[in-house]
Amino acid sequence: MKRRTFLITTTAALAAASIPVARYYSNGKKNYPPLIMPEELGNFCEEKVIREIGDQYRKQVPQESEKAKLQQILLTDDAGKLTAVSDNAAIAALLDKKIQDDFNSSRILVLSGWVISVTEARQCALFSLT
Amino acid sequence: MHIDARQLDNQSVIEGDICIIGAGAAGISMALDLENSAHKVILLEGGGMEYDDRVQELYNGKLTGHPYYPMKASRLHYFGGSTGHWGGMCSTFDEIDFEKRDWVENSGWPITLKDISPFYPKAHEILDLGAFEWGAEYWVKQNNALKLLPLDDNIIWSKMWHFSPPTRFGTKYKDAVVNAKNIHLYTYANVVDIVATDNVASIKQVTIKNYAGKEHTVKAKKFVLACCSIQTSRLLLASNKQAPHGLGNDNDLVGRYFMEHAELKTGEMWLNHTEPLSFYLMGDKTKVRAELAISPQKQKELGILNATVSLMPLAMSKNTIPSIKIWSQDDPRKALDTFHKYSNLDKRNYIQKLFSKGFYQSYGLYTRSEQLPNPDSRVVLSEEKDELGVPRANLHWALSPIDKKTVYTINKVLGQQIGAARLGRVKLYDFLLNDDPQLPDYTSGGWHHMGTTRMHEDPKKGVVDANCRIHGIDNLYVAGSSCYTTGGAVNPTLTLVAISLRLSDHLKKTM
């Protein structure tokens, strides 16, 4: 018997006895405003994990531990323009770009094990304050 | 020709040109490479043609340091050696693996990948690895169902692996060895002593013994130790009549720098959409697959070792048990029982259907990392002797903080790449986040024994030279992965066959 066959059959058999772990949290998730809920990360994490990440970020970056400061950073684009807090579509687009820029520039953090962008961490921090 | 050394008259003297000690992947590859040459090759195998527990017992020894597989079970002691139970996973070393890396203490071979590359095609053939194609793009073009992850090759690249059937040397090459006119295979021929000249400048002969109570002498012009890392260093250390500290051990290096690969589950990759990443998964009928490797530039930039990450659907990965816990049986046959316990299970298709929704949306990450060459990671002689009177080998496997740093970093970089590619997110497991500088106890090896007679041009830093000759001894060589200066990120077999073929080529040119 090949070792790789063994590995496949072993793990498959064990998996059969378990509950699927591939839970995807998008179903049934509350519809939070995009400013406080990172869209992609929110698909993978329960709210308590989002909150935990936010708590960790605020602890690591105490100068960004207040709502107003976090909102200001998150809503300001590269050119310094502030997006209106009521415009969810514009906020979603802005944050999507910021997150993409973060990953492309390696502005990433590991919080609660998740490799996330700094922008996502700030969103989580804001969520943890709600 | 095959001779059972138990049947010879006691105190027989066997003579040849090249004596190869050990008939595993390295020894058999070398012997067959010397087939039809003008040289009489004496190939010595301590065991017989089949498993013999009394012979296997000679490999027993004690373990200290990081938990490891039982000594008796981690190598097989009969014709064909450990190819009798290997898994068949093969990949090539990278250029950076041979380089002196400022951030990797004790790195730097005296040879480069270019010195090994000419021997890879033949090694590839010996191991039945199929088409000699190592570029991921080639395989993707062969099958539309295979897709490359759209990552930045300068950061994380898709490194190819080929799967051997796996080739059992003892089965496949028995007839070729036995029928070769110039190869004289002696089974039940355990080398118990290597006898050097008084000035220890060359080897005169080796002494072989077996359970039949016979003792014989083998004389040759050149001797090659091909017993893998633990037994090769054991034999050198135990051969201490002319050299009190053992042969080749003037600088206290024999047995040191034992290396393995650190292998363990390290995290999860969650995708935005279901994507069966077939190209990266291990399957029954898969002949090749890709793993996610960290680029040389990133290794240098981040000060880490070489490493790769393989993928497995998370529902399966979550339930895997660390190899070090599964393969804990002292008796290799019992280890095989564990193996066979699952052999009748063929539920893969059923399971895949069961988990079809979301099954291919989350993946477990399994990291295999090079380990730092660590002088404290070593084989030493025991005070206890085996039944043939040779001190047993004890193994102390030691890891280093950079090993954990490497495992953490490649997974973090992979997380950055997965995010940048808008594929999803990566989660690292808790042990990577704590302050312990060492990898956890359940970190497994891959049964990849490397080092102990490391290659270096300076006798004060290595046991063998660039031609695998032991420094200071003109006719004693070491074949296989014992010579590795560093271990690379991949399984050692393909490269150890290649490096052994390079040695036989050297011997042919210099005899």
Side-chain angles (χ1 to χ4, degrees), chain A residues 53-72:
Chain A
I53 290 171
D55 289 342
Q56 285 184 28
Y57 182 75
R58 286 187 294 109
K59 197 172 173 186
Q60 280 188 19
V61 190
Q63 64 273 28
E64 294 182 21
S65 59
E66 291 179 3
K67 264 188 182 179
K69 179 71 177 176
L70 286 162
Q71 277 194 9
Q72 184 208 343

Side-chain angles (χ1 to χ4, degrees), chain B residues 6 35 48 59 84 173 181 223 242 301 315 359 431 437-438 479:
Chain B
R6 295 173 300 183
E35 187 184 4
Y59 280 1
Y173 297 116
K181 287 179 181 171
F223 295 85
Q242 290 81 30
E301 178 190 325
F359 188 75
F431 76 88
Q438 294 285 351

Side-chain angles (χ1 to χ4, degrees), chain A residues 1-6 8-16 18 20-24 40-41 44 96 99-100 103-104 106 108 110 112-115 120, chain B residues 85 163-165 270-272 282-284 314-316 318-320 339 342-343 345 348 351 355 358 361-362 408 412 416 419-420 422 425-428 433:
Chain A
M1 173 148 186
K2 297 169 187 173
R3 178 171 289 157
R4 60 176 178 271
T5 307
F6 162 77
I8 289 162
T9 52
T10 304
T11 51
L14 289 167
S18 74
V21 293
R23 286 183 64 191
Y24 195 69
E40 281 189 49
L41 187 65
F44 309 132
D96 181 67
I99 290 167
Q100 196 59 30
F103 276 111
N104 288 337
S106 291
I108 55 172
V110 181
S112 291
W114 289 94
V115 183
E120 287 175 312
Chain B
H85 67 179
F163 297 125
S164 173
W270 291 73
L271 301 182
N272 294 324
M282 189 183 282
D284 276 349
L314 187 58
M316 296 167 77
K318 275 276 188 185
N319 292 290
T320 58
F339 206 76
Y342 298 98
S343 65
L345 297 173
R348 188 164 175 251
I351 297 299
F355 293 113
Q361 192 157 6
S362 54
Y408 169 80
K412 182 181 174 187
Q416 179 266 324
R422 291 183 176 273
R425 294 290 179 272
V426 161
K427 182 180 191 296
L428 312 188
L433 311 175

Side-chain angles (χ1 to χ4, degrees), chain B residues 159-178:
Chain B
K159 183 170 176 62
M160 290 309 302
W161 288 72
H162 285 245
F163 297 125
S164 173
T167 303
R168 308 289 181 209
F169 279 51
T171 307
K172 178 163 185 184
Y173 297 116
K174 180 183 170 185
D175 288 347
V177 168
V178 170

